[in-house]
Amino acid sequence: MISNHGSKENSPSQETFLKVVTQLSRLFLCTDFRRSACPLLTQSEGVQLPRMGRWALDVAFVWKAVLTLGLVLLYYCFSIGITFYNKWLTKSFHFPLFMTMLHLAVIFLFSALSRALVQCSSHRARVVLSWTDYLRRVAPTALATALDVGLSNWSFLYITVSLYTMTKSSAVLFILIFSLIFKLEELRAALVLVVLLIAGGLFMFTYKSTQFNVEGFALVLGASFIGGIRWTLTQMLLQKAELGLQNPIDTMFHLQPLMFLGLFPLFAVFEGLHLSTSEKIFRFQDTGLLLRVLGSLFLGGILAFGLGFSEFLLVSRTSSLTLSIAGIFKEVCTLLLAAHLLGDQISLLNWLGFALCLSGISLHVALKALHSRGDGSPKPLKGLGSNPDLELLLRSSQPEEGGNEEEEEYFVAQGQQ
């Protein structure tokens, strides 16, 4: 038989070889090597590949492990880096609210640039909300986010990195409370146990702490409380598909201006007069010192943007469960680094309290994972990794499965920041 192109038809062995090559090419083009994502792991199209199939699975597993490890390390660099950066900068630059506002401006500029690049590559207009939707639906989330971030950075003037990390971990407690209030969670005995473990761990960590500061602790605890509202509102905002803010870059682009305006009155009252008379900014005498200060502030904005982007990158390429687990180990790394590099004093009782708090967070993550796995009708994760614009931004990311349960795990992980 001669084909229309003048060549002989492929023999059975040749067809088998072509199928093998096709499947292997699909394997290396997949960005998520789970069985639901890669055809090679779910079917062989009639081809039995005992040796090559096992080899392909080994390659898939190694590549997936390397990719996940790389993304986790990238997330650690930005998350731990910005924590120590904020503590380092507030030692010499005592205007944390101004620092936060400048970071918001940098994030807005990078978000706008990213939107422009995506629009040029996709030739599609980016979402722009009407003023009515912007002020009614986005403004509450933006205000809560601004207060969360601003108070958190403000607390670095008074407390250690270890106390900040531990207290900030309690945001999971407030997220659960507000999730119950807004009926995003159902009251269960396991959730009560999670709340008791986290609250008990926080009490043990702060009890008779030699480096305890009431003012700083109140600031970061207030930030954690507002953080519970923040991430609950953010979840509700991303679930409104009609707004079109599932893309993280679009969300950051719309949030930053209102966050800047929401934080400005607090800045004007507590820092405005002192900053206007400071020789480091407005009344500078040394141009080199001014440039170093502005460069340091701009670096923080880059770290803040990179943190938000790395979180979404990790979720879209792996899962929100990976981010939750990585967040738990990140807290341990942060405390160890704080004790080693900054000399934070952590007693045995403090470590036991920290372990108790992490056990509560781990229990909640495990319960959410089991509940998600037991769901017989998985749904696509809304807003995280399933948006075509996000695929352009993250270079061919695959949709996640797991439904609202997995989305809630993501917000639990965020509450630990």
Side-chain angles (χ1 to χ4, degrees):
M1 292 291 293
I2 304 295
S3 66
N4 295 333
H5 299 285
S7 60
K8 292 185 178 181
E9 289 185 345
N10 294 329
S11 64
S13 60
Q14 289 175 323
E15 290 180 356
T16 300
F17 174 77
L18 289 175
K19 287 181 179 180
V20 171
V21 173
T22 301
Q23 294 285 12
L24 289 178
S25 64
R26 289 181 184 178
L27 172 66
F28 286 100
L29 288 175
C30 279
T31 58
D32 191 340
F33 292 112
R34 296 173 305 168
R35 293 185 178 274
S36 60
C38 280
L40 181 58
L41 304 184
T42 56
Q43 60 179 356
S44 60
E45 297 185 359
V47 181
Q48 300 297 327
L49 303 173
R51 292 184 179 179
M52 190 166 293
R54 286 196 298 269
W55 174 82
L57 287 174
D58 291 340
V59 172
F61 175 79
V62 172
W63 172 245
K64 177 65 176 177
V66 171
L67 177 65
T68 302
L69 179 61
L71 292 176
V72 169
L73 290 178
L74 180 66
Y75 162 66
Y76 277 14
C77 289
F78 283 113
S79 183
I80 298 177
I82 196 171
T83 299
F84 283 88
Y85 160 85
N86 287 333
K87 183 60 180 178
W88 165 76
L89 188 60
T90 52
K91 287 182 178 180
S92 57
F93 188 78
H94 304 295
F95 305 101
L97 297 179
F98 177 78
M99 175 188 73
T100 304
M101 292 172 61
L102 192 60
H103 291 176
L104 297 177
V106 174
I107 295 173
F108 177 77
L109 291 177
F110 275 96
S111 301
L113 178 61
S114 301
R115 279 166 54 96
L117 293 176
V118 173
Q119 183 170 336
C120 290
S121 60
S122 63
H123 303 289
R124 293 191 305 175
R126 308 301 309 162
V127 59
V128 178
L129 297 181
S130 65
W131 281 106
T132 302
D133 289 336
Y134 191 50
L135 295 177
R136 290 179 56 188
R137 302 190 178 188
V138 179
T141 304
L143 179 60
T145 305
L147 292 176
D148 179 15
V149 177
L151 294 179
S152 296
N153 291 340
W154 197 352
S155 68
F156 278 114
L157 288 176
Y158 309 101
I159 62 174
T160 61
V161 170
S162 57
L163 181 58
Y164 167 84
T165 301
M166 177 61 195
T167 311
K168 196 64 175 168
S169 298
S170 67
V172 179
L173 176 66
F174 297 111
I175 290 176
L176 289 176
I177 293 174
F178 285 107
S179 295
L180 292 172
I181 294 176
F182 287 97
K183 297 182 179 181
L184 299 175
E185 284 271 11
E186 296 181 359
L187 182 61
R188 302 189 303 271
L191 287 183
V192 176
L193 178 60
V194 168
V195 169
L196 292 177
L197 288 174
I198 296 176
L202 180 61
F203 174 77
M204 291 175 62
F205 191 87
T206 56
Y207 182 72
K208 291 186 178 181
S209 176
T210 58
Q211 295 175 301
F212 182 79
N213 182 281
V214 176
E215 188 173 0
F217 178 73
L219 284 171
V220 71
L221 190 63
S224 299
F225 176 82
I226 298 174
I229 303 175
R230 165 195 178 183
W231 290 112
T232 303
L233 293 176
T234 303
Q235 179 177 356
M236 297 171 66
L237 181 67
L238 292 181
Q239 286 178 346
K240 299 182 187 298
E242 67 274 10
L243 294 180
L245 293 182
Q246 285 76 25
N247 188 302
I249 299 301
D250 290 329
T251 304
M252 287 192 286
F253 176 81
H254 284 85
L255 285 177
Q256 306 313 306
L258 288 177
M259 289 175 61
F260 187 95
L261 294 176
L263 205 57
F264 185 82
L266 203 61
F267 156 75
V269 172
F270 290 97
E271 295 182 359
L273 180 61
H274 299 288
L275 183 65
S276 63
T277 58
S278 172
E279 295 183 355
K280 292 186 176 181
I281 298 293
F282 293 107
R283 299 186 63 184
F284 70 93
Q285 297 179 355
D286 185 353
T287 305
L289 175 62
L290 175 65
L291 294 178
R292 285 194 298 271
V293 171
L294 293 178
S296 299
L297 293 172
F298 187 79
L299 174 62
I302 296 177
L303 290 175
F305 178 82
L307 173 59
F309 190 78
S310 64
E311 288 168 347
F312 281 101
L313 188 64
L314 180 59
V315 170
S316 63
R317 292 298 183 91
T318 57
S319 69
S320 59
L321 180 61
T322 303
L323 179 61
S324 300
I325 297 173
I328 294 172
F329 285 100
K330 186 209 70 174
E331 311 294 0
V332 178
C333 294
T334 303
L335 256 67
L336 291 175
L337 289 174
H340 180 70
L341 298 178
L342 303 180
D344 289 5
Q345 300 175 9
I346 307 175
S347 66
L348 178 60
L349 181 63
N350 298 151
W351 278 114
L352 291 176
F354 181 67
L356 190 64
C357 183
L358 288 189
S359 65
I361 298 174
S362 303
L363 175 60
H364 180 66
V365 171
L367 290 173
K368 299 299 294 186
L370 292 174
H371 183 65
S372 177
R373 180 173 297 182
D375 189 357
S377 56
K379 297 170 285 186
L381 181 62
K382 289 183 275 187
L384 302 174
S386 58
N387 189 281
D389 297 330
L390 186 59
E391 292 182 7
L392 285 173
L393 207 58
L394 304 182
R395 309 307 304 167
S396 305
S397 63
Q398 295 294 323
E400 286 288 341
E401 294 183 355
N404 294 335
E405 292 82 5
E406 191 166 299
E407 181 176 311
E408 290 168 7
E409 290 171 15
Y410 170 77
F411 290 101
V412 168
Q414 298 310 293
Q416 300 172 36
Q417 307 312 316

